[in-house]
Amino acid sequence: MLGNMALIFYARVSSKDQNLERQIYRAKQVKANKVFVDKKSGKNIERSGLQEMFNYIREGDTIEIVSLDRLSRNYNDIKKLVQVLKEKKVKLLVDDLPITHTGNDLVDNFLLDMMIGLMGFVAENERQKIRERQRQGIERAKQKGKYKGRAKKYSPNSTSREGRLVYQGVVNDYKTDNYETKVQLANKYGISRQQVYRILSTINQ
């Protein structure tokens, strides 16, 4: 190491039960000057070891991690943390991204940015796929008549006995023409006119 520049290693596992041994071994291999450790989920950046490391680092230092998901499992957090490192002029080495270790800082930064951009694309693409699968699932369920949406109070399958009885009463009166107006039906069963229309729309489908 030149001057006061330090090689800092950051290791993280998700829980106290998981083993940090592999990451600590790597830190010894690369002769890290300082090691920061967290035994906490990577879902956010509220971690004492991570915060201590960011307070400790100085311009010209290098941080090494075994993989980007040690920093965080959240793409936006990774992007934010890497940006902070750039502003502090701290280099980031990621063991499982050897293409970002060319030795040329400009190229390394460009490749790291490209990898993080690709991760963002993959993450957003996955979110869109999940949303699309949900939409298709709802469409298929609707086609099969299985999509219930929010449970309706007045329906043949209502969890409320009163709801089932009101539904049957409105349907029977409607089918036997035993009513004068829909308003009169609503008043008879103590429900709103919109609820009468909803009940009738189910038998007209």
Side-chain angles (χ1 to χ4, degrees), residues 174 179-187 192-193 196-197 200:
Y174 178 76
Y179 70 102
E180 292 168 18
T181 64
K182 294 187 173 85
V183 175
Q184 180 260 325
L185 260 184
N187 292 335
S192 71
R193 197 169 39 179
V196 168
Y197 290 142
L200 297 181

Side-chain angles (χ1 to χ4, degrees), residues 70-111:
R70 296 306 86 198
L71 274 185
S72 177
R73 290 198 171 277
N74 179 299
Y75 158 71
N76 288 322
D77 284 343
I78 290 174
K79 197 176 172 185
K80 200 186 302 172
L81 293 171
V82 170
Q83 187 55 42
V84 172
L85 293 179
K86 280 185 188 171
E87 287 164 8
K88 285 177 175 269
K89 294 187 170 60
V90 171
K91 185 176 170 65
L92 179 65
L93 285 179
V94 186
D95 291 345
D96 68 356
L97 292 179
I99 64 159
T100 61
H101 305 179
T102 66
N104 180 321
D105 286 353
L106 200 64
V107 174
D108 287 355
N109 278 332
F110 171 74
L111 290 170

Side-chain angles (χ1 to χ4, degrees), residues 31-180:
K31 297 183 170 60
N33 303 99
K34 185 92 174 156
V35 179
F36 289 91
V37 169
D38 274 312
K39 289 194 170 188
K40 199 167 183 186
S41 162
K43 65 183 177 186
N44 59 45
I45 55 175
E46 302 303 314
R47 284 170 261 143
S48 58
L50 186 72
Q51 299 302 333
E52 282 170 29
M53 179 177 74
F54 269 78
N55 291 333
Y56 178 85
I57 53 177
R58 298 289 179 267
E59 183 177 331
D61 287 347
T62 298
I63 290 176
E64 184 164 348
I65 49 179
V66 293
S67 60
L68 268 175
D69 65 2
R70 296 306 86 198
L71 274 185
S72 177
R73 290 198 171 277
N74 179 299
Y75 158 71
N76 288 322
D77 284 343
I78 290 174
K79 197 176 172 185
K80 200 186 302 172
L81 293 171
V82 170
Q83 187 55 42
V84 172
L85 293 179
K86 280 185 188 171
E87 287 164 8
K88 285 177 175 269
K89 294 187 170 60
V90 171
K91 185 176 170 65
L92 179 65
L93 285 179
V94 186
D95 291 345
D96 68 356
L97 292 179
I99 64 159
T100 61
H101 305 179
T102 66
N104 180 321
D105 286 353
L106 200 64
V107 174
D108 287 355
N109 278 332
F110 171 74
L111 290 170
L112 185 59
D113 284 347
M114 198 170 74
M115 289 302 297
I116 290 171
L118 184 61
M119 283 172 62
F121 169 76
V122 170
E124 181 53 36
N125 198 36
E126 192 53 39
R127 279 193 292 272
Q128 285 182 359
K129 276 183 186 169
I130 289 167
R131 283 196 291 267
E132 180 59 19
R133 281 198 292 269
Q134 286 171 338
R135 189 192 64 76
Q136 288 174 351
I138 288 169
E139 282 302 313
R140 281 196 296 271
K142 278 181 176 174
Q143 285 163 10
K144 291 177 181 175
K146 290 181 181 174
Y147 182 66
K148 302 290 189 296
R150 194 187 299 169
K152 294 182 177 66
K153 184 178 179 184
Y154 302 110
S155 74
N157 305 314
S158 174
T159 51
S160 153
R161 182 171 178 274
E162 180 211 350
R164 293 194 299 274
L165 289 172
V166 167
Y167 176 86
Q168 284 304 333
V170 172
V171 169
N172 289 340
D173 283 355
Y174 178 76
K175 284 184 173 176
T176 58
D177 214 20
N178 183 26
Y179 70 102
E180 292 168 18

